[in-house]
Amino acid sequence: MIEREEMHYDVVVVGGGPAGLSCAIRLKQLSPDLAVCVLEKGSEIGAHILSGAVVDPRALDELFPDWRESGCPLAATPVTDNWHWVLSKAKHRALPHAIMPGFMSNDGCYTASLGNLCRWLAARAEELGVEIFPGFPAAELLYDEAGALRGVRTGDMGLDREGNPRVDFQPGMDLLARYTVLAEGARGHLSKQAIARFNLARDSQPQIFGLGIKELWDIKPENHVPGRVIHTQGWPLSESGSWGGGFLYHQADGQVALGFVTALDYKNPWVSPYEEFQRWKQHPDIRAIIEGGRRVAYGARVINEGGWQSVPHLAFPGGVLVGCAAGFVNVPRIKGSHTAMKSGMLAAESLNLAVAQDRRGDALEDYEAAVRSSWIADELKLVQNAQPMVAKFGGGLGTVLAGADMWSRSLFGFGIARPMAHHSDAKATQRADLYKPIAYPRPDGVISFDRLTNVAFSATNHDEDEPCHLKLADPTVPVDVNLKFYAGPEARYCPAGVYEFLGEGADKHLQINAQNCVHCKTCDIKDPTGNITWVTPQGGEGPNYPNM
């Protein structure tokens, strides 16, 4: 039996993103004497944060009304210019703002690095007395005798590839609390376990996702328009019958954040979201902006796209889900930071009341009720059919119907259809023999790049002598099922080149290059048979995003 150190708190927050930090801050604003800690698996706050981002400041205004005058990096670049382009292969057509509901506007929003916003929030949290532990991933949920969550165990450090202790072995700690807040972001591995254990998705649709791939570029001064925001749809995904779109945000210091989101419900297993992104950058109107510049960072992360009907129950004995662990992304607005922050703040108010009443380990049903009566619910209900309309009817007709549904809900309080259902992304994948292989162009090394070169710009690092954090339920499935029927989609859906098929004939096997992993979680979602499970590696490993 390994002896483990125990630390006791009123509230333990798992995840140092916008939701978790906002929860911790609000707790200390309400009750300065509460013992609150935040666990972050990245090497520092912000190291694993990746987003566009164009941020609606609504929740930040509530949390820190003076944030614009307090050195917050978000204040540097307000949105000044907003475009939505429909791309063909060589041209674009700008959609007029007048055809979009008013709530789709980016007026009053700001574009900046979400990682840097989280670093600023972390500094404010520490000033209030929150204890923040970067490099300490929560690896296991701990339960009491009644089955309520009582805390988490951080991951053991210093295990070799076979799981045996090395000379530098350090056991993980048990952090015990009255309540635990799961704020891990999209497809959090502990949140996934809690949702299953407590059947939290019993009344909701399956959560679905998009894969967001991003690069940060320094561009020529004459091409830079601070505050300009461009979103695109159409080409190149229109050629494969898939759905998604690009973004290009002109941020501070002569930089643009550009990226591409591919909905993971695509049917064609030959599709490579990474290669679609590289093709998109070669569009004449995108290339004209970044040509002559240089890429300085790269990363990828999945995004919740299920909308309001996919939000599970949020409270369970001893814990709550907040932020993208629950799935509060407004898909057509491509925004979730403000709703994530608000959910963390609402959780804090319920947690504070529970601790004041000397409670522990019960389900905070008042938090659930607060979210479902908040502006989070109001906002997400307006757009809840946008994604499923496009998924069912395609990018052309689906976009028109999604717009009509949003307009109807905005003007009349009801949509043109009832809330629509989802199907899991994994089950959407069809057999490879139903489609032609896609011949993607070779990267030119100037605008487009190969995956492994780009991964180097994520500063990703994992110890090669540690247990693989990508677990196969059945090691025969990759060759006997995925390769046979789906042409080995693992080799294409991963944006970091983690999976590759090697050998010939009886020696054919899947090699997992876990050291490349950027923790996007795509493999945990898109694998056709659900054979891959992502778990946390040793603390501080993974990408080290500078200002993504």
Side-chain angles (χ1 to χ4, degrees):
M1 179 71 69
I2 298 175
E3 292 187 9
R4 300 182 184 274
E5 181 181 351
E6 291 185 356
M7 301 178 68
H8 294 262
Y9 293 90
D10 293 308
V11 178
V12 168
V13 179
V14 179
L21 290 168
S22 296
C23 180
I25 288 168
R26 188 66 181 132
L27 277 166
K28 296 295 277 188
Q29 288 175 335
L30 293 169
S31 295
D33 293 334
L34 286 179
V36 180
C37 82
V38 174
L39 293 175
E40 167 55 40
K41 66 184 177 70
S43 61
E44 63 171 353
I45 294 293
H48 289 180
I49 297 293
L50 183 142
S51 181
V54 172
V55 179
D56 183 333
R58 184 173 185 176
L60 189 56
D61 286 338
E62 295 179 17
L63 190 63
F64 289 113
D66 63 344
W67 65 269
R68 293 171 182 82
E69 298 78 42
S70 300
C72 179
L74 188 63
T77 313
V79 173
T80 58
D81 195 12
N82 188 43
W83 296 89
H84 190 107
W85 293 350
V86 178
L87 301 184
S88 62
K89 190 170 184 177
K91 298 180 180 180
H92 79 267
R93 174 170 52 88
L95 291 181
H97 296 299
I99 70 171
M100 302 181 192
F103 61 78
M104 292 290 291
S105 171
N106 282 315
D107 291 346
C109 295
Y110 296 77
T111 181
S113 158
L114 188 64
N116 286 342
L117 173 60
C118 288
R119 291 180 177 97
W120 183 83
L121 288 171
R124 304 289 80 76
E126 289 183 320
E127 289 172 0
L128 292 167
V130 176
E131 297 179 30
I132 299 179
F133 301 119
F136 285 86
E140 182 180 348
L141 298 173
L142 302 176
Y143 301 95
D144 65 18
E145 293 179 356
L149 187 61
R150 62 191 288 262
V152 295
R153 176 169 295 162
T154 64
D156 294 337
M157 303 281 285
L159 294 174
D160 67 17
R161 190 172 302 179
E162 304 302 323
N164 301 312
R166 303 185 313 218
V167 293
D168 58 345
F169 174 74
Q170 294 181 358
M173 297 184 297
D174 290 349
L175 285 86
L176 308 178
R178 291 173 179 266
Y179 299 97
T180 302
V181 178
L182 298 181
E184 301 173 287
R187 198 64 167 193
H189 79 291
L190 296 184
S191 304
K192 180 181 169 184
Q193 294 175 29
I195 290 170
R197 180 183 178 99
F198 295 103
N199 195 21
L200 300 180
R202 60 188 179 274
D203 297 316
S204 59
Q205 290 294 313
Q207 184 59 262
I208 57 175
F209 300 86
L211 172 58
I213 307 176
K214 175 182 174 181
E215 293 172 0
L216 195 65
W217 283 63
D218 292 332
I219 65 170
K220 295 191 295 186
E222 59 266 33
N223 290 350
H224 191 255
V225 184
R228 173 167 288 178
V229 167
I230 300 171
H231 293 108
T232 78
Q233 67 181 77
W235 188 87
L237 288 176
S238 55
E239 294 185 353
S240 63
S242 307
W243 173 250
F247 63 87
L248 196 153
Y249 305 152
H250 292 249
Q251 299 181 340
D253 302 321
Q255 292 189 325
V256 294
L258 70 158
F260 201 78
V261 179
T262 302
L264 289 178
D265 62 352
Y266 61 83
K267 298 177 181 179
N268 183 347
W270 297 104
V271 167
S272 165
Y274 177 85
E275 298 294 349
E276 297 291 345
F277 173 39
Q278 299 306 305
R279 289 181 73 202
W280 173 81
K281 288 188 296 173
Q282 296 286 7
H283 189 281
D285 295 318
I286 302 300
R287 182 171 184 134
I289 297 171
I290 62 176
E291 196 157 29
R294 66 186 184 98
R295 162 213 49 187
V296 296
Y298 169 81
R301 188 72 169 89
V302 296
I303 306 165
N304 297 300
E305 291 192 341
W308 184 247
Q309 55 266 57
S310 293
V311 174
H313 289 278
L314 304 172
F316 53 92
V320 295
L321 301 172
V322 300
C324 287
F328 297 121
V329 173
N330 183 321
V331 178
R333 290 189 75 197
I334 321 178
K335 290 176 178 60
S337 299
H338 64 304
T339 49
M341 292 176 68
K342 179 62 175 179
S343 70
M345 295 157 64
L346 292 173
E349 292 167 7
S350 295
L351 289 161
N352 179 64
L353 177 62
V355 175
Q357 295 174 344
D358 198 25
R359 291 155 47 196
R360 67 170 62 241
D362 58 316
L364 300 178
E365 301 296 347
D366 56 332
Y367 162 61
E368 178 108 19
V371 169
R372 296 187 183 276
S373 62
S374 71
W375 57 254
I376 298 174
D378 295 339
E379 180 174 327
L380 295 188
K381 287 178 181 178
L382 287 173
V383 301
Q384 64 182 327
N385 276 345
Q387 196 284 340
M389 286 281 190
V390 173
K392 184 172 183 178
F393 297 106
L397 178 59
T399 298
V400 173
L401 293 174
D405 192 82
M406 290 190 293
W407 267 113
S408 179
R409 290 174 185 276
S410 176
L411 294 174
F412 309 119
F414 56 87
I416 64 172
R418 293 181 178 181
M420 297 174 66
H422 296 308
H423 303 284
S424 79
D425 295 320
K427 292 180 180 178
T429 310
Q430 296 186 354
R431 295 195 327 266
D433 61 354
L434 300 176
Y435 300 88
K436 293 181 179 180
I438 301 173
Y440 288 106
R442 293 176 62 86
D444 60 17
V446 178
I447 299 296
S448 55
F449 310 98
D450 66 85
R451 279 186 294 185
L452 295 185
T453 298
N454 246 346
V455 168
F457 284 80
S458 69
T460 292
N461 179 65
H462 296 86
D463 190 336
E464 292 191 8
D465 187 23
E466 68 170 303
C468 180
H469 67 279
L470 302 162
K471 307 295 186 180
L472 299 180
D474 184 343
T476 68
V477 163
V479 172
D480 293 348
V481 178
N482 288 1
L483 189 61
K484 181 178 180 180
F485 296 107
Y486 306 102
E490 303 96 317
R492 290 180 293 279
Y493 61 56
C494 174
V498 169
Y499 301 97
E500 58 179 335
F501 288 90
L502 301 178
E504 297 294 335
D507 294 328
K508 198 77 170 180
H509 66 280
L510 178 69
Q511 177 163 303
I512 301 178
N513 305 306
Q515 65 273 19
N516 290 358
C517 180
V518 294
H519 298 195
C520 72
K521 312 294 183 67
T522 303
C523 59
D524 196 287
I525 297 163
K526 187 59 175 170
D527 186 79
T529 61
N531 192 50
I532 301 174
T533 297
W534 187 99
V535 300
T536 184
Q538 292 185 150
E541 296 186 340
N544 283 279
Y545 297 137
N547 54 334
M548 295 283 271

